[in-house]
Amino acid sequence: ILKLTFEQKSAEYAQLWMPKGFSAGMAKEWLDKRRVSIRPWASFVDQRKFSKPRNFGELCQRVVKNVEVYNSNYTFIFLGLILYCIISSPMLLIALAVFAGAFYIIHLRSLEKKLVIMGKELALPHQMSLAGAVSLPVFWLAGAGAAVFWVLGATLFVIGSHAAFRELEGSDLEELLMEPV
C-alpha cells in the first residue's frame, strides 16, 4: 500500500484546479507577497485622513497614488467581497461544490481509465471542458452572473471611494507634482 505525504496530496489537489504553468507554490508566494506589503488597517481606515478633493486634478492624483500604496489592502477587500458573496448565497455555494465535485470525479476516473464517448477517447482537457459545460446551467440557476457583477461593482465602489477621498501623505504629494501642459 502506497501512502502519500501531506505535501504530495496537497500538490495533487492543487494540480486539479490550477491552470497549466501555475502551481500552488506560485499562488502561495503571490499571497505572501501581498500579505507582507499590506498597510496597517488602522491607518487605512483612519477617518481623519479623509477629505473631499479640491479639484479633479487632486482627485486623479489621489486615486493613482492610493491605488499604488494600498494595492494589497484593496486585493484583500476584493477577496473578502468574493468570500462574502459565496458564503451569503447558498445556491452559489452548492453550484461551486457541484463544479468542484465534477472536476474531482473526472480526475479520479481519468486515473482509472480513459473516458470514451461515442467511440472516441476524450483527453483530460476535453473532460474538464465537459464538466465546465455541464456546470454552467447550475451556475446560471445559482445567479453566478449577478454575483460576479455585484462583486465587481462593490469592489469598484469601495476601492474607488477610498482612493478618491483618502488624503495623500506629505511625501506622496512631492512625488506627484504635475507640470502644466
Side-chain angles (χ1 to χ4, degrees):
I1 297 174
L2 178 68
K3 291 188 178 183
L4 296 175
T5 65
F6 176 74
E7 291 83 17
Q8 291 170 327
K9 285 182 183 178
S10 62
E12 182 180 320
Y13 291 135
Q15 289 175 350
L16 287 177
W17 59 273
M18 294 294 258
K20 282 189 177 180
F22 291 104
S23 67
M26 287 175 64
K28 184 177 178 352
E29 180 182 331
W30 178 83
L31 196 60
D32 287 343
K33 254 192 241 181
R34 292 281 171 212
R35 199 175 300 137
V36 167
S37 64
I38 200 165
R39 299 289 217 151
W41 288 102
S43 71
F44 181 78
V45 295
D46 186 6
Q47 293 178 346
R48 295 170 294 181
K49 300 281 186 178
F50 287 85
S51 69
K52 181 180 150 195
R54 289 187 300 266
N55 54 38
F56 186 73
E58 184 182 1
L59 179 117
C60 292
Q61 286 178 340
R62 285 183 180 188
V63 169
V64 167
K65 190 61 182 175
N66 283 332
V67 166
E68 180 183 316
V69 170
Y70 294 106
N71 191 352
S72 293
N73 295 68
Y74 295 153
T75 300
F76 282 101
I77 287 173
F78 175 67
L79 294 174
L81 286 171
I82 289 174
L83 188 64
Y84 168 77
C85 190
I86 290 171
I87 290 172
S88 66
S89 173
M91 281 298 292
L92 191 55
L93 204 53
I94 291 169
L96 284 170
V98 167
F99 185 66
F103 274 86
Y104 185 68
I105 289 169
I106 287 174
H107 173 71
L108 290 178
R109 292 234 173 137
S110 70
L111 292 176
E112 293 173 9
K113 62 179 180 173
K114 298 291 183 189
L115 180 65
V116 178
I117 296 180
M118 292 191 262
K120 293 209 176 211
E121 186 178 302
L122 286 179
L124 188 60
H126 295 119
Q127 293 175 26
M128 296 297 180
S129 299
L130 181 63
V134 167
S135 299
L136 278 177
V138 178
F139 279 119
W140 181 73
L141 288 172
V148 166
F149 286 110
W150 181 87
V151 168
L152 290 176
T155 301
L156 286 174
F157 176 76
V158 170
I159 291 173
S161 298
H162 183 273
F165 293 111
R166 176 75 163 77
E167 295 173 355
L168 299 176
E169 303 295 325
S171 61
D172 297 337
L173 287 173
E174 297 166 4
E175 200 176 294
L176 272 179
L177 287 178
M178 294 187 175
E179 295 179 23
V181 180

